[in-house]
Amino acid sequence: MRHWLLKSEPDCFSIADLARAKKKTTCWDGVRNYQARNFLRAMAVGDRALFYHSSCDPPAVVGTVEVVRAAYPDPSAWDPDDDHHDPRASPENPVWSMVDVRLEAIFPRAVPLDELRGVRALAGLELLRRGSRLSVHPVSAEEFRTIERLARG
DNA sequence: GCCAACGTTGGC
DNA sequence: GCCAACGTTGGC
């Protein structure tokens, strides 16, 4: 079982939106970066991920989700009305992938980016790497546990 | 709104 | 294959 981190802008899709979703489950569509896509494709059912709110104040890890469906074609890629439309994509050549995730927990206390930076055990966290923009990336089991512990306060 | 960092595109 | 120009991300 692997651990991951998923970024979302709460203005676009927040963890509260996920909590309101049918079966508390959503498809994680719209990823248009090859490295991030390849991480989506590496996910297995049962993997867990941290849910991170970006481009907001404060940016923070706000909860956890579980992967409930492995990677499959992302149909938003060939939807001309979609913000992330990719003219190269089609049902025959999907190009982009998505997974389904289900809400596991909303943290009793969000853990802000600022706080993560000060934690020694998280020194290697991809999220904290200077200039890192990857919206999907792996985290170690130890990093995952550390952040869950911080969320309990 | 600014800007650093990064990815992508396309001319050569 | 190089690299300049451009677009995007995302913290601040």
Side-chain angles (χ1 to χ4, degrees):
Chain A
M1 202 258 280
R2 298 185 68 182
H3 296 82
W4 308 91
L5 183 142
L6 296 170
K7 289 186 192 175
S8 183
E9 300 186 16
D11 286 349
C12 177
F13 188 80
S14 71
I15 200 162
D17 293 326
L18 179 55
R20 281 189 293 268
K22 190 178 165 197
K23 297 183 180 176
K24 300 190 178 189
T25 298
T26 186
C27 58
W28 203 264
D29 63 356
V31 169
R32 298 292 182 268
N33 169 283
Y34 285 105
Q35 213 180 338
R37 182 203 68 180
N38 293 342
F39 284 137
L40 287 176
R41 290 182 176 177
M43 290 182 183
V45 171
D47 283 2
R48 299 172 69 204
L50 298 163
F51 196 117
Y52 177 79
H53 279 172
S54 65
S55 293
C56 59
D57 190 24
V61 182
V62 292
T64 60
V65 298
E66 181 183 356
V67 176
V68 292
R69 181 174 174 185
Y72 60 108
D74 177 355
S76 71
W78 59 84
D79 176 357
D81 296 327
D82 192 274
D83 284 345
H84 305 290
H85 175 236
D86 181 346
R88 297 168 303 168
S90 67
E92 297 72 35
N93 178 36
V95 187
W96 302 107
S97 299
M98 62 185 186
V99 298
D100 287 356
V101 298
R102 182 174 59 216
L103 181 65
E104 189 175 65
I106 296 179
F107 285 159
R109 189 182 74 88
V111 187
L113 180 62
D114 201 37
E115 185 177 332
L116 298 176
R117 291 193 193 285
V119 180
R120 208 186 192 107
L122 300 176
L125 191 69
E126 165 68 23
L127 182 73
L128 301 184
R129 228 191 69 238
R130 180 175 155 81
S132 172
R133 298 186 308 178
L134 256 186
S135 64
V136 180
H137 64 75
V139 306
S140 72
E142 290 75 13
E143 290 163 341
F144 195 97
R145 241 196 324 273
T146 298
I147 293 171
E148 279 191 306
R149 200 180 315 121
L150 291 170
R152 286 197 294 270

